[in-house]
Amino acid sequence: MKRVIALGMALCLALGTASCGSGNPTGDANNDASPANSPVISTEEFDTGDITPPSSPNRYSMASGSVGGNFYLVGGGISQIINSGLPDFFNFTTETTGGGTANLGMIQRGDAELGIAMTSSIQEAVDGSADWTNGQVHDKLRVAAALYPSWLTIYTLKDSDINSFSDLEGKIVGLGSKGAAMDSVFRKMFEDLGITPAQIHNDGHSATATALGNGVIDAAILFSYPPFSAISELESTKDLKFIPLNEEEQEYLTTTYDFYVADAMPGGFYKGAPEDVAGVSEWNMLVTSSDVPEEEIYLITKLLFESTDDLRIIHDSLQYCTAEDTLNSNTYLHAGTVRCLEEYGVDVPEELIPPEYQG
């Protein structure tokens, strides 16, 4: 069958300006939604092979994020691709949620079959280590596919005397929503490196950018896929500069947290960052549950990996939704994903193969 996906909903979602972490106590930092490039996606026929569809399509939920945020835009677009490409198998509804940590809880409870989260939140969930987990080990979580990376972004006003991470000593620093993974990570980093900010400011990332522009805070930290629209909007009225990490600071994050890798935010997305800015990055993943049958996730991941052009119409960051990039997972892959990757000739490390995989 020919798949034609109307992106009217995605276009409406893209008009919002709030990030997934904005105004949300447990949301993760992500860049704001940007408008799709086209109202229609046209793709070629998708072959389901000898897999028999159910008697009626499964009515499933996609746990995404707050309206206007990238999680909600991406979740809605992926739901449309699945519904159109596999209409005999699925009817996905996109759910508005509090962000990545809320999504992981929904998946663990069986309230959603797919959801989006950052690797930092996934680690907290599978360990049951963060306050938001209430000590519960989220043992059903499985990664279905990689979505896109997010880069550490530390920014301040150009005339600020902050030029390095250590210069945050005695400053008011915005760390996004209280209780989110990044908030915990950087509070610990400040403590371990002997840096004492005057105050930690917790708010959504769009509100935090506004606070910086108004002089309420001195610097802001987030993970995002650039350009983050709130930063771009701030640069229309204020000159900014972006603060790199040195090698010791990169090493601290990558050795303390295995979901971070030494990296650099690509230059050229902001006026204040014409060159790459050294830091770390982590991944945003499409997450599912071990309770979802292998054949179903196999079909979904194969469809997504064969829909790169469609995904990039939803958001350019989804160019990273590939079989190879899915190996950036920091927890078990779903059995259906392993099956798909092996079919693609991708060598899956033993530590990513779930105990239920029988391939």
Side-chain angles (χ1 to χ4, degrees):
M1 60 237 154
K2 183 76 172 176
R3 292 186 285 130
V4 180
I5 304 173
L7 278 187
M9 180 184 74
L11 284 169
C12 292
L13 302 178
L15 297 177
T17 57
S19 77
C20 290
S22 180
N24 145 35
T26 57
D28 297 304
N30 283 281
N31 59 299
D32 288 350
S34 58
N37 299 319
S38 169
V40 173
I41 300 174
S42 296
T43 55
E44 300 302 319
E45 182 178 350
F46 180 71
D47 182 10
T48 60
D50 58 0
I51 299 177
T52 303
S55 57
S56 61
N58 293 306
R59 301 183 66 84
Y60 281 169
S61 291
M62 167 76 75
S64 59
S66 57
V67 174
N70 204 45
F71 277 14
Y72 194 61
L73 174 69
V74 168
I78 288 175
S79 292
Q80 290 184 66
I81 287 179
I82 296 170
N83 291 345
S84 184
L86 296 163
D88 296 332
F89 290 85
F90 305 107
N91 182 3
F92 269 91
T93 300
T94 306
E95 306 292 342
T96 304
T97 73
T101 55
N103 297 346
L104 296 175
M106 291 176 67
I107 292 168
Q108 175 69 21
R109 294 190 302 270
D111 295 333
E113 286 71 31
L114 290 177
I116 305 172
M118 300 177 80
T119 48
S120 51
S121 297
I122 295 171
Q123 190 68 57
E124 291 180 334
V126 298
D127 291 344
S129 59
D131 290 344
W132 66 266
T133 67
N134 294 317
Q136 180 188 16
V137 174
H138 290 48
D139 59 335
K140 294 183 179 181
L141 299 183
R142 302 289 186 265
V143 164
L147 293 178
Y148 57 92
S150 289
W151 286 277
L152 176 64
T153 309
I154 307 174
Y155 63 103
T156 184
L157 299 179
K158 187 175 182 180
D159 59 4
S160 164
D161 60 357
I162 300 171
N163 295 295
S164 66
F165 190 79
S166 60
D167 289 338
L168 297 176
E169 171 76 29
K171 305 298 184 181
I172 303 175
V173 183
L175 286 183
S177 300
K178 187 172 179 61
M182 193 197 74
D183 180 47
S184 301
V185 164
F186 281 89
R187 285 175 183 267
K188 177 174 171 53
M189 183 174 181
F190 286 139
E191 181 179 350
D192 289 350
L193 297 188
I195 299 169
T196 307
Q199 181 183 334
I200 298 297
H201 177 90
N202 290 117
D203 204 343
H205 292 286
S206 293
T208 298
T210 300
L212 178 66
N214 292 337
V216 175
I217 65 174
D218 299 306
I221 302 176
L222 77 158
F223 280 84
S224 69
Y225 185 93
F228 180 71
S229 67
I231 297 178
S232 298
E233 290 167 11
L234 183 58
E235 274 201 312
S236 68
T237 59
K238 303 285 185 178
D239 290 330
L240 302 179
K241 61 182 172 183
F242 293 77
I243 308 303
L245 296 184
N246 61 34
E247 290 185 4
E248 178 185 355
E249 292 155 353
Q250 287 178 310
E251 184 177 2
Y252 169 85
L253 286 173
T254 57
T255 56
T256 307
Y257 306 98
D258 61 7
F259 44 80
Y260 290 140
V261 295
D263 205 341
M265 183 187 75
F269 287 99
Y270 305 113
K271 290 184 291 185
E275 306 294 334
D276 293 354
V277 181
V280 295
S281 64
E282 66 170 302
W283 281 83
N284 299 274
M285 296 291 184
L286 183 64
V287 185
T288 185
S289 167
S290 57
D291 289 342
V292 181
E294 177 179 324
E295 285 190 342
E296 294 183 4
I297 297 301
Y298 165 78
L299 288 175
I300 288 172
T301 54
K302 185 176 180 182
L303 171 66
L304 294 178
F305 295 155
E306 294 182 8
S307 301
T308 302
D309 290 343
D310 298 357
L311 290 169
R312 292 191 70 171
I313 292 175
I314 296 165
H315 197 279
D316 191 60
S317 63
L318 293 176
Q319 64 181 291
Y320 294 97
C321 182
T322 67
E324 292 78 9
D325 282 332
T326 299
L327 297 184
N328 287 293
S329 175
N330 61 331
T331 193
Y332 288 135
L333 301 178
H334 192 277
T337 300
V338 176
R339 173 181 168 184
C340 182
L341 295 183
E342 291 185 342
E343 191 174 281
Y344 272 69
V346 176
D347 186 17
V348 180
E350 184 177 350
E351 63 268 20
L352 296 183
I353 298 176
E356 64 270 16
Y357 181 62
Q358 301 297 318

